Amino acid sequence: MERYVIRGGKEGYERLLLLARERWPDTAALFKRAGLSPGMRCIDLGCGGGEVTLEIARLVDPGGSVIGVDMDEIKLSLARREAVGRGLGSVEFRLLDVGDWDEPGGYDVVYCRFLLQHLSQPVGLLRRMWAGVRPGGVLLVEDADFDGWCCHPPNDGFDFFVRTYGQLLQQRGGDHAMGRKLYACFRAAGIPRPQVALTQPAWTEGEGKTLAWSTLEATREAIVSERVASEDEISVALLALQDFTEDPRTLICGPRNFQLWSSR
């Protein structure tokens, strides 16, 4: 089982909702380019809180369906409740480690977002994802290159966040620079003709600007567990980053987000 570095449960669910709101315009544009349409059978691997899964369900209705897969039952329970509240009956949320997922030829759309950076064997999952795409279907992947994070003016708390997140991922077998490596991973997995797009957010205010702070706060247990930094060091960095985030004179740019897709 892969060791996810960001806190799960209810707190993790709320953070993922914020992330989903911020990233949805770019993901929606990817789905439009890839041709998601009513009647498609889809799967969202590492779906987290399921917000994108529910949007996929809306796009493929009527006649389509989508399965969200994740290993956090609390998030999945909250996602199921949200699906009922929205009247989306074509959604299933399945508790499963993506390392155990294998359904050749099962789907018109196989998708994941911000998942591969956490995996020790991303190419292996990509091979199984591609095998899961039916003839005429499409594979879509989004992931971040954390070296794209930047801010102005410089801030010690922000630098601490970027440095510790990258080190934490590496120690747990992941790769903070996965985004830029996705194209090579597609080729290594035998996926032909991947198309590539790149997006990057920037904020001077608003909830998106808080994502650096919230991600650092959500990884503090893992940072301490892996001995990347101490509780005191994290607390100092969080205070510095909070003050910086709340200052309307400052700017934060999020990571570069790579989008790749290939049709079978």
Side-chain angles (χ1 to χ4, degrees), residues 147-210:
D147 285 340
W149 278 103
C150 62
C151 73
H152 189 78
N155 178 263
D156 289 341
F158 182 88
D159 292 343
F160 178 92
F161 156 65
V162 175
R163 181 177 66 255
T164 57
Y165 189 89
Q167 186 177 343
L168 181 60
L169 271 187
Q170 182 180 27
Q171 289 185 198
R172 291 204 170 178
D175 189 340
H176 77 287
M178 174 53 64
R180 80 182 82 160
K181 300 176 183 179
L182 273 179
Y183 183 78
C185 288
F186 266 57
R187 302 301 298 240
I191 302 169
R193 303 177 302 279
Q195 299 185 67
V196 183
L198 178 65
T199 67
Q200 185 168 19
W203 307 280
T204 57
E205 59 184 3
E207 64 177 4
K209 196 180 181 186
T210 69

Side-chain angles (χ1 to χ4, degrees), residues 16 20 22 33 39 57 64 85-87 95 113 115 132-133 145 152 156 165 174 190 192 206 217 226 253 262:
L16 287 177
E22 282 297 313
R33 286 193 296 267
R86 297 188 194 185
L95 181 65
R113 183 172 75 167
L115 169 66
V133 179
D145 180 347
H152 189 78
D156 289 341
Y165 189 89
E217 200 282 327
E226 294 292 333
C253 289
S262 186

Side-chain angles (χ1 to χ4, degrees), residues 160 220 224 229-238:
F160 178 92
R220 65 186 306 161
V224 173
S230 69
E231 281 279 9
D232 288 345
E233 290 172 318
I234 298 169
S235 295
V236 170
L238 283 168

Side-chain angles (χ1 to χ4, degrees), residues 30-47:
L30 172 63
F31 289 165
K32 184 176 181 179
R33 286 193 296 267
L36 267 69
S37 60
M40 286 182 160
R41 174 172 163 80
C42 312
I43 190 163
D44 178 7
L45 297 171
C47 68

Side-chain angles (χ1 to χ4, degrees), residues 152-153 204 209 244 246-251:
H152 189 78
T204 57
K209 196 180 181 186
F244 184 85
E246 292 173 352
D247 189 339
R249 299 168 297 178
T250 66
L251 177 139

